[in-house]
Amino acid sequence: MVISTMSVSAVSGSSDFNEFIELPYRLYRSDPYWAPPLRSDQRKLLDRRHPFYEHGEVELFLARDRAGQVVGRIAAIDNQLYVNFHQEPVGFFGFFETIDDQDVATALFDAAGQWLNKRELKTMLGPMNYSTNDECGLLIEGFDSMPYILMTHNPPYYSRLCEGAGLSKAKDLLAFRGDWKTIGANTAEFDRWRRINAKIIQRANITIKTADMSRFDREIETLKVVYNQAWIDNWGFVPLTDREMAQMARDLKSFIDPELALFAYSGDEPIGVSISLPDYNQVLRRMGGHLWPFGIVKFLWYRRKINRVRVIALGIVKKWQKRGIAPILMIETIDRAIKKGYVEGEVSWVLEDNQLLLNSIRSAGGQLYKRYRIYQRAL
């Protein structure tokens, strides 16, 4: 599709904001693998009262065709916490959606880039909504299945449009899938892992605890301590503020299965965490982006049928890395998931150059099946 005349302008007012929110629901309505997020959640995420805005600024842009119909959108993101932490003048783009038209995509990237450049940022990375702590990455491989909860989805042509607009690869993020029955049947390999794990557990005085939902606030404090130590050296890392962690916890609390939220301790010291979420995308795909009036009924009905789980976080504090703690958490997670009746799982996302974790995932039977890309462009 080629548009002879189009324009890009910043979102101004509630009407523009509503169209920004609504565009993906129109673009993806025929995509069998898209799980539409709740519109209310999208509004909350983009609301300027969100904790991100305490250290960041965002400008939303819409592209319109000659008739005034919205045909694309993008957000330009100035995350000063990232700039200060890394001492790099880097900005971001996110919430990118467009029809299959190079002129529209290029105009959107240009608009975002110009806004970032005016703020003295010299490189644009994305997509990130808003950082690596949130949904990020453009799907470039694995279009034939529905993504797991909090993972992105987009048409295959998006990568072509990005590259046509002068963006290039910065980093790939990988997703691994495993059939629990197949993995669990490999008893010889798992027994070998359990013997190794048992020795490490005894030698280092390791205990594994599940999340205590009656002490949820304290568990979140423990998670924050581990998170900001375990991921600090990862590419693209940005520490979570107290309010961002609290907001994330509130958003995810109703999705958490406490038996799949695991903390590793050495004595009283928290040293690792593995958080897995039931795949509520299996529910969201039935709801059409609405909770009311009938979405809540569908939510309550279909959540009983969830049979997949995603490992969204697996991290070990720095001084305990390379000491066998990650495999302990991984095997414990798989064993618990199988006992609870989950038939399939995903570990995502994993940096393409995190060889230590990649080796552990592959040893446990994980199969690479989706690849996401973070793009970059000099400003």
Side-chain angles (χ1 to χ4, degrees), residues 124-303:
M124 179 169 66
L125 285 175
M128 296 191 190
N129 307 337
Y130 298 104
S131 72
T132 55
N133 297 320
D134 306 287
E135 292 184 8
C136 58
L138 192 85
L139 182 65
I140 63 168
E141 294 176 12
F143 297 95
D144 57 349
S145 60
M146 184 178 69
Y148 279 65
I149 185 171
L150 300 178
M151 293 296 286
T152 63
H153 180 72
N154 55 261
Y157 65 79
Y158 273 27
S159 59
R160 168 170 48 82
L161 296 182
C162 287
E163 291 161 13
L167 283 76
S168 60
K169 173 186 172 179
K171 189 74 70 172
D172 280 358
L173 316 174
L174 311 180
F176 291 81
R177 182 170 59 188
D179 180 297
W180 295 134
K181 291 182 180 179
T182 301
I183 292 174
N186 190 0
T187 54
E189 178 66 15
F190 268 50
D191 285 346
R192 183 180 71 84
W193 277 56
R194 291 187 183 95
R195 288 194 297 271
I196 295 172
N197 290 348
K199 293 178 182 178
I200 296 171
I201 288 170
Q202 183 177 18
R203 183 169 63 245
N205 190 24
I206 303 295
T207 55
I208 305 297
K209 299 180 181 180
T210 58
D212 183 349
M213 301 303 284
S214 68
R215 303 168 62 221
F216 188 69
D217 289 344
R218 188 174 298 181
E219 299 288 51
I220 293 305
E221 284 300 312
T222 302
L223 174 61
K224 186 178 69 174
V225 169
V226 174
Y227 184 87
N228 284 337
Q229 292 183 55
W231 277 267
I232 192 169
D233 291 330
N234 278 10
W235 179 89
F237 170 80
V238 184
L240 284 164
T241 67
D242 289 347
R243 286 203 62 222
E244 284 178 313
M245 178 63 81
Q247 181 69 56
M248 183 180 296
R250 286 194 298 269
D251 291 343
L252 296 180
K253 186 175 182 179
S254 60
F255 298 149
I256 290 175
D257 181 337
E259 294 183 46
L260 296 177
L262 309 179
F263 295 87
Y265 288 81
S266 176
D268 295 328
E269 178 190 4
I271 62 172
V273 64
S274 174
I275 307 294
S276 302
L277 295 179
D279 182 24
Y280 274 86
N281 272 4
Q282 293 181 292
V283 180
L284 292 174
R285 68 182 301 191
R286 309 276 187 170
M287 297 171 61
H290 295 290
L291 189 59
W292 305 102
F294 304 113
I296 187 64
V297 176
K298 293 180 180 179
F299 179 87
L300 295 173
W301 174 259
Y302 285 108
R303 73 175 179 178

Side-chain angles (χ1 to χ4, degrees), residues 79-88:
N79 186 345
Q80 282 299 305
L81 188 59
Y82 180 97
V83 173
N84 295 334
F85 183 81
H86 290 276
Q87 293 296 296
E88 296 175 350

